Amino acid sequence: MDATARSSPPNGGGRAAEWRRYAVPKDQRGWGGPDSSGAGGGTAVAERRRGRFRQRVGTTLDLIRANPTGRVALKIFISIAGALVVTIGIALIPLPGPGWLLVIAGLGIWAVEFHWARRLLAFTRGHVQGWTRWVTSRSMPVRFVLGSAGLVFVAAVVWLSLKYSFGIDLVARLLHYLATN
């Protein structure tokens, strides 16, 4: 390779690894690689929309995947990080807090490296968007009933969590407070 070709690296994550003379198998490019979409057309539009940060992340991941040791280390790191976030999210589901959000974030971490997680994340995203479209297409009284049912459910989960986890019965304390005051 001559000096002029080295002075301007090509754009894109997989091509940068190839530019550095790393062998990047197409099946190992995973998330962010130019061949990861599976569709023949539209990759140029997707490359333009991605943004500089995502392009750098894709390049870095492709460089790591180009080395067999890096590929294994990346899989292990992604597995542990995703499992940690999903575990914390599952623990927070019955408690007030962002439990489901953390579970979905953990799936997003796993989706960087695992195809099954990408499919599950797409399935979840589709159902959440479908539910959101359905709720927003309903009248205001129906939305009010759905929101009230959601609040009652969250209140019941909080009450049961406090009662069986910490031994604090909020309903009994509230009734005692109302009876004494």
Side-chain angles (χ1 to χ4, degrees):
M1 196 179 269
D2 62 345
T4 58
R6 277 188 172 263
S7 64
S8 60
N11 293 332
R15 290 180 288 187
E18 292 165 0
W19 173 75
R20 290 181 175 90
R21 296 183 183 175
Y22 292 125
V24 180
K26 288 188 178 190
D27 64 332
Q28 293 296 326
R29 289 188 183 187
W31 174 75
D35 296 328
S36 65
S37 65
T43 56
V45 174
E47 285 282 326
R48 274 186 261 132
R49 264 192 259 152
R50 266 178 47 180
R52 200 167 263 177
F53 177 74
R54 290 187 82 185
Q55 188 173 11
R56 285 185 182 177
V57 169
T59 303
T60 303
L61 289 175
D62 284 339
L63 287 172
I64 293 170
R65 288 183 188 114
N67 183 345
T69 306
R71 186 174 26 248
V72 171
L74 181 67
K75 263 196 194 301
I76 291 170
F77 175 76
I78 294 295
S79 298
I80 292 171
L84 183 65
V85 173
V86 167
T87 303
I88 292 170
I90 288 173
L92 289 178
I93 286 174
L95 300 173
W100 284 111
L101 186 64
L102 285 177
V103 170
I104 292 171
L107 274 177
I109 291 171
W110 277 337
V112 169
E113 198 61 30
F114 300 108
H115 183 66
W116 62 267
R118 275 191 293 273
R119 287 184 310 195
L120 185 58
L121 191 61
F123 174 81
T124 304
R125 183 180 295 141
H127 277 74
V128 167
Q129 288 173 348
W131 171 255
T132 305
R133 277 193 305 274
W134 183 82
V135 168
T136 55
S137 70
R138 303 293 151 214
S139 66
M140 192 57 73
V142 172
R143 284 194 222 171
F144 181 75
V145 168
L146 288 172
S148 299
L151 286 175
V152 166
F153 176 75
V154 169
V157 167
V158 169
W159 172 64
L160 289 171
S161 297
L162 289 174
K163 183 176 180 178
Y164 292 111
S165 296
F166 301 112
I168 302 170
D169 191 358
L170 289 178
V171 174
R173 286 188 180 202
L174 178 67
L175 291 176
H176 177 70
Y177 177 78
L178 291 175
T180 58
N181 290 331

